[in-house]
Amino acid sequence: MQTVTLIPGDGIGPEITEAVVKILKEAGAEIEWDIQEAGADVSEKEGSPLPQRVIESIKRNKTALKAPVTTPIGKGFRSVNVALRKELDLYANLRPCKNIEGIKTRFDNVDIVIVRENTEDLYAGIERKIDENTAESIKIITRHASKRIAKFAFDYAVKNNRKMVTAVSKANICKLSDGLFLECTKEIAKNYPDIEYREILVDNLCMQLVQNPEKFDVLVLPNLYGDIVSDLCAGLIGGLGVAQGANIGIDAAVFEPVHGSAPDIKGQNKANPTALLLSAIEMLKHINQQDIALKIEKALYKTIKDGNILTPDLGGISSTKEFTTEIIKNLK
Ligand code: NAI
């Protein structure tokens, strides 16, 4: 039995968490959940959306499954997600984007893995108002973070039988910062002669992704480009409802969907739990429960391929609960 931190989040978080926990239980996953609430409601009660107990729980268990948490727009409220990644030094954001049979999309051969640097770039949050009409935001790129994310991308490629890593930048404009990022990816690439190494500018990448996504394999990107390109790639495979993710560090890993708390459909029993379920499947592989992971993967893919019971975002008319019940039925 493995203890895993579970953050049900807010918005649609609790609904999709309930679905995923039920599916994992029915599949026989050997997990004891350490449930830790975080987010806006907690902030009112405990003074912080991310109390120290949540961090301590993840440090203790080393693995967490996290549903989305709302970050109110405005001053003085640090994003729980950015804070969590920083506190635990979860430096690699891994987002595999692969077509799922049964989901109609423009392309049917997308199989891209995004490796996004998670700790610096414009997300360092160093901003200031110079005067009433001018603001500046500082983009931080370091050799240390760039080399370790490049190494992560190449190691992932080797481990997962991938053939090519493409480093993404805007080094023609950000000559020093993105230039340093590319200097590091190039240097690391030399240690992996069996993996093809390429470079591309982020604007050109976006155009090519919506024309020929099959040309790409593993992409390694600084934080901001990684954030934007992740959503683009989620769109290529059927939208946010099916886009999974993971934040990985040396000592801990937090598995979570790409999407947010979707306040527009909260409490309506129509959220798609697939992205959280795919994240949970990756988590099961991470904690060496591969058999259970594959069993759930098969049931999920069968449910989607059959196409009879689907949530509205996938073109269906079924509820979160009906979709969950169908997956459980397909586990047998
Ligand atoms: P969002 O991802 O919550 O929603 C965008 C659109 O996608 C909405 O129309 C929503 O209904 C739909 N959608 C998202 N997930 C879905 C699902 N599982 N099933 C069906 N439809 C789904 O993005 P938005 O509205 O920009 O953000 C809402 C809140 O979530 C914000 O407070 C934001 O800060 C937070 N957020 C949290 C994240 C996290 O906890 N990792 C990540 C991204 C945003």
Side-chain angles (χ1 to χ4, degrees), residues 12 66 68-71 81 240-241 256-265 271-272 313:
I12 59 167
K66 177 183 162 296
V69 171
T70 305
T71 297
N81 305 303
L240 286 170
E256 64 174 345
V258 172
H259 65 73
S261 56
D264 53 336
I265 56 166
N272 186 352
D313 61 304

Tab-separated table of all heavy atoms in Angstrom, residues 12 66 68-71 81 240-241 256-265 271-272 313, ligand 1:
chain	number	residue	atom	x	y	z
A	12	ILE	N	-14.438	22.429	-10.393
A	12	ILE	CA	-14.806	21.049	-10.758
A	12	ILE	C	-13.888	20.026	-10.082
A	12	ILE	O	-14.101	18.816	-10.213
A	12	ILE	CB	-14.769	20.817	-12.291
A	12	ILE	CG1	-13.370	21.110	-12.866
A	12	ILE	CG2	-15.861	21.591	-12.994
A	12	ILE	CD1	-13.156	20.620	-14.294
A	66	LYS	N	-3.205	15.918	-7.948
A	66	LYS	CA	-3.796	17.226	-7.641
A	66	LYS	C	-4.836	17.628	-8.679
A	66	LYS	O	-4.555	17.635	-9.875
A	66	LYS	CB	-2.680	18.272	-7.584
A	66	LYS	CG	-3.172	19.663	-7.344
A	66	LYS	CD	-2.039	20.671	-7.373
A	66	LYS	CE	-2.580	22.062	-7.575
A	66	LYS	NZ	-3.255	22.251	-8.861
A	68	PRO	N	-7.461	20.752	-10.050
A	68	PRO	CA	-7.191	22.188	-10.187
A	68	PRO	C	-7.632	23.038	-8.996
A	68	PRO	O	-8.574	22.679	-8.283
A	68	PRO	CB	-7.976	22.581	-11.440
A	68	PRO	CG	-8.945	21.498	-11.663
A	68	PRO	CD	-8.367	20.256	-11.086
A	69	VAL	N	-6.942	24.144	-8.852
A	69	VAL	CA	-7.213	25.085	-7.774
A	69	VAL	C	-7.346	26.474	-8.395
A	69	VAL	O	-6.524	26.872	-9.210
A	69	VAL	CB	-6.040	25.058	-6.754
A	69	VAL	CG1	-6.197	26.182	-5.745
A	69	VAL	CG2	-5.963	23.710	-6.054
A	70	THR	N	-8.375	27.196	-7.991
A	70	THR	CA	-8.622	28.542	-8.540
A	70	THR	C	-7.604	29.550	-8.007
A	70	THR	O	-7.307	29.548	-6.815
A	70	THR	CB	-10.033	29.014	-8.124
A	70	THR	OG1	-10.961	28.025	-8.546
A	70	THR	CG2	-10.389	30.352	-8.734
A	71	THR	N	-7.086	30.373	-8.899
A	71	THR	CA	-6.269	31.503	-8.469
A	71	THR	C	-7.041	32.768	-8.801
A	71	THR	O	-7.164	33.131	-9.967
A	71	THR	CB	-4.917	31.546	-9.221
A	71	THR	OG1	-4.188	30.373	-8.898
A	71	THR	CG2	-4.105	32.757	-8.816
A	81	ASN	N	-0.469	26.976	-7.651
A	81	ASN	CA	0.290	26.082	-8.536
A	81	ASN	C	1.741	26.511	-8.663
A	81	ASN	O	2.651	25.702	-8.559
A	81	ASN	CB	-0.389	26.036	-9.892
A	81	ASN	CG	-1.831	25.634	-9.728
A	81	ASN	OD1	-2.117	24.581	-9.183
A	81	ASN	ND2	-2.744	26.507	-10.129
A	240	LEU	N	-8.906	20.628	-23.389
A	240	LEU	CA	-8.387	20.562	-22.028
A	240	LEU	C	-8.921	19.380	-21.228
A	240	LEU	O	-8.265	18.894	-20.310
A	240	LEU	CB	-8.720	21.869	-21.298
A	240	LEU	CG	-7.885	23.076	-21.723
A	240	LEU	CD1	-8.453	24.350	-21.116
A	240	LEU	CD2	-6.430	22.896	-21.295
A	241	GLY	N	-10.100	18.885	-21.596
A	241	GLY	CA	-10.699	17.768	-20.854
A	241	GLY	C	-9.876	16.485	-20.915
A	241	GLY	O	-10.065	15.580	-20.100
A	256	GLU	N	-1.090	16.250	-12.263
A	256	GLU	CA	-2.290	17.092	-12.346
A	256	GLU	C	-2.662	17.356	-13.789
A	256	GLU	O	-1.806	17.356	-14.667
A	256	GLU	CB	-2.069	18.429	-11.626
A	256	GLU	CG	-0.994	19.290	-12.249
A	256	GLU	CD	-0.879	20.681	-11.634
A	256	GLU	OE1	-1.795	21.105	-10.924
A	256	GLU	OE2	0.127	21.347	-11.880
A	257	PRO	N	-3.964	17.589	-14.055
A	257	PRO	CA	-4.357	17.912	-15.424
A	257	PRO	C	-3.867	19.302	-15.827
A	257	PRO	O	-3.532	20.110	-14.954
A	257	PRO	CB	-5.884	17.877	-15.371
A	257	PRO	CG	-6.245	18.049	-13.943
A	257	PRO	CD	-5.098	17.547	-13.126
A	258	VAL	N	-3.863	19.571	-17.130
A	258	VAL	CA	-3.450	20.891	-17.614
A	258	VAL	C	-4.541	21.929	-17.301
A	258	VAL	O	-4.253	23.079	-17.016
A	258	VAL	CB	-3.195	20.828	-19.153
A	258	VAL	CG1	-2.949	22.218	-19.732
A	258	VAL	CG2	-2.017	19.904	-19.467
A	259	HIS	N	-5.806	21.493	-17.305
A	259	HIS	CA	-6.902	22.462	-17.192
A	259	HIS	C	-7.047	23.060	-15.793
A	259	HIS	O	-6.478	22.559	-14.815
A	259	HIS	CB	-8.232	21.827	-17.616
A	259	HIS	CG	-8.718	20.715	-16.740
A	259	HIS	ND1	-9.231	20.912	-15.483
A	259	HIS	CD2	-8.787	19.369	-16.962
A	259	HIS	CE1	-9.606	19.746	-14.969
A	259	HIS	NE2	-9.330	18.785	-15.836
A	260	GLY	N	-7.846	24.126	-15.725
A	260	GLY	CA	-8.101	24.793	-14.462
A	260	GLY	C	-9.387	24.304	-13.816
A	260	GLY	O	-9.913	23.235	-14.173
A	261	SER	N	-9.914	25.117	-12.887
A	261	SER	CA	-11.043	24.681	-12.067
A	261	SER	C	-12.395	24.854	-12.751
A	261	SER	O	-13.429	24.558	-12.156
A	261	SER	CB	-11.014	25.442	-10.742
A	261	SER	OG	-11.010	26.838	-11.015
A	262	ALA	N	-12.405	25.339	-13.992
A	262	ALA	CA	-13.618	25.454	-14.829
A	262	ALA	C	-14.835	25.933	-14.045
A	262	ALA	O	-15.854	25.229	-13.978
A	262	ALA	CB	-13.897	24.114	-15.513
A	263	PRO	N	-14.790	27.132	-13.466
A	263	PRO	CA	-15.933	27.607	-12.659
A	263	PRO	C	-17.240	27.659	-13.451
A	263	PRO	O	-18.321	27.560	-12.866
A	263	PRO	CB	-15.502	29.008	-12.213
A	263	PRO	CG	-14.256	29.333	-12.936
A	263	PRO	CD	-13.667	28.091	-13.489
A	264	ASP	N	-17.132	27.767	-14.792
A	264	ASP	CA	-18.362	27.856	-15.608
A	264	ASP	C	-19.193	26.570	-15.597
A	264	ASP	O	-20.385	26.606	-15.874
A	264	ASP	CB	-18.021	28.261	-17.061
A	264	ASP	CG	-16.969	27.374	-17.709
A	264	ASP	OD1	-16.165	26.752	-16.981
A	264	ASP	OD2	-16.951	27.283	-18.952
A	265	ILE	N	-18.581	25.422	-15.270
A	265	ILE	CA	-19.366	24.176	-15.257
A	265	ILE	C	-19.334	23.495	-13.875
A	265	ILE	O	-19.733	22.343	-13.737
A	265	ILE	CB	-18.901	23.192	-16.364
A	265	ILE	CG1	-17.399	22.889	-16.245
A	265	ILE	CG2	-19.238	23.722	-17.741
A	265	ILE	CD1	-16.977	21.682	-17.088
A	271	ALA	N	-18.325	17.805	-15.955
A	271	ALA	CA	-16.882	17.918	-16.180
A	271	ALA	C	-16.321	16.574	-16.641
A	271	ALA	O	-16.770	15.519	-16.207
A	271	ALA	CB	-16.199	18.341	-14.889
A	272	ASN	N	-15.343	16.641	-17.500
A	272	ASN	CA	-14.692	15.423	-18.000
A	272	ASN	C	-13.535	15.047	-17.061
A	272	ASN	O	-12.588	15.820	-16.903
A	272	ASN	CB	-14.164	15.713	-19.408
A	272	ASN	CG	-13.600	14.481	-20.073
A	272	ASN	OD1	-13.466	13.434	-19.442
A	272	ASN	ND2	-13.264	14.601	-21.338
A	313	ASP	N	-18.017	17.955	-23.441
A	313	ASP	CA	-16.842	18.521	-24.117
A	313	ASP	C	-16.322	17.586	-25.214
A	313	ASP	O	-15.623	18.009	-26.115
A	313	ASP	CB	-15.719	18.816	-23.107
A	313	ASP	CG	-15.250	17.563	-22.395
A	313	ASP	OD1	-16.096	16.878	-21.792
A	313	ASP	OD2	-14.048	17.248	-22.470
B	1	NAI	P1	-10.106	26.284	-17.269
B	1	NAI	O1	-9.142	25.282	-17.748
B	1	NAI	O2	-10.626	26.123	-15.901
B	1	NAI	O3	-11.367	26.341	-18.267
B	1	NAI	C1	-11.250	26.673	-19.655
B	1	NAI	C2	-12.450	26.076	-20.412
B	1	NAI	O4	-12.286	24.665	-20.514
B	1	NAI	C3	-13.791	26.298	-19.701
B	1	NAI	O5	-14.787	26.529	-20.659
B	1	NAI	C4	-14.031	24.991	-18.979
B	1	NAI	O6	-15.415	24.689	-18.794
B	1	NAI	C5	-13.379	23.973	-19.927
B	1	NAI	N1	-12.848	22.824	-19.174
B	1	NAI	C6	-11.728	22.786	-18.418
B	1	NAI	N2	-11.565	21.592	-17.867
B	1	NAI	C7	-12.605	20.831	-18.273
B	1	NAI	C8	-12.994	19.484	-18.018
B	1	NAI	N3	-12.281	18.669	-17.221
B	1	NAI	N4	-14.132	19.039	-18.595
B	1	NAI	C9	-14.859	19.819	-19.402
B	1	NAI	N5	-14.538	21.105	-19.682
B	1	NAI	C10	-13.424	21.605	-19.120
B	1	NAI	O7	-9.392	27.702	-17.426
B	1	NAI	P2	-9.761	29.142	-16.819
B	1	NAI	O8	-11.219	29.373	-16.902
B	1	NAI	O9	-8.819	30.052	-17.495
B	1	NAI	O10	-9.313	29.052	-15.307
B	1	NAI	C11	-10.199	28.888	-14.210
B	1	NAI	C12	-9.402	28.887	-12.914
B	1	NAI	O11	-8.525	27.754	-12.859
B	1	NAI	C13	-8.514	30.125	-12.706
B	1	NAI	O12	-8.641	30.550	-11.374
B	1	NAI	C14	-7.107	29.607	-12.960
B	1	NAI	O13	-6.154	30.324	-12.242
B	1	NAI	C15	-7.222	28.179	-12.477
B	1	NAI	N6	-6.241	27.277	-13.075
B	1	NAI	C16	-5.732	26.318	-12.259
B	1	NAI	C17	-4.850	25.390	-12.767
B	1	NAI	C18	-4.336	24.343	-11.836
B	1	NAI	O14	-4.798	24.226	-10.719
B	1	NAI	N7	-3.367	23.563	-12.260
B	1	NAI	C19	-4.420	25.405	-14.172
B	1	NAI	C20	-5.061	26.425	-14.960
B	1	NAI	C21	-5.940	27.334	-14.411
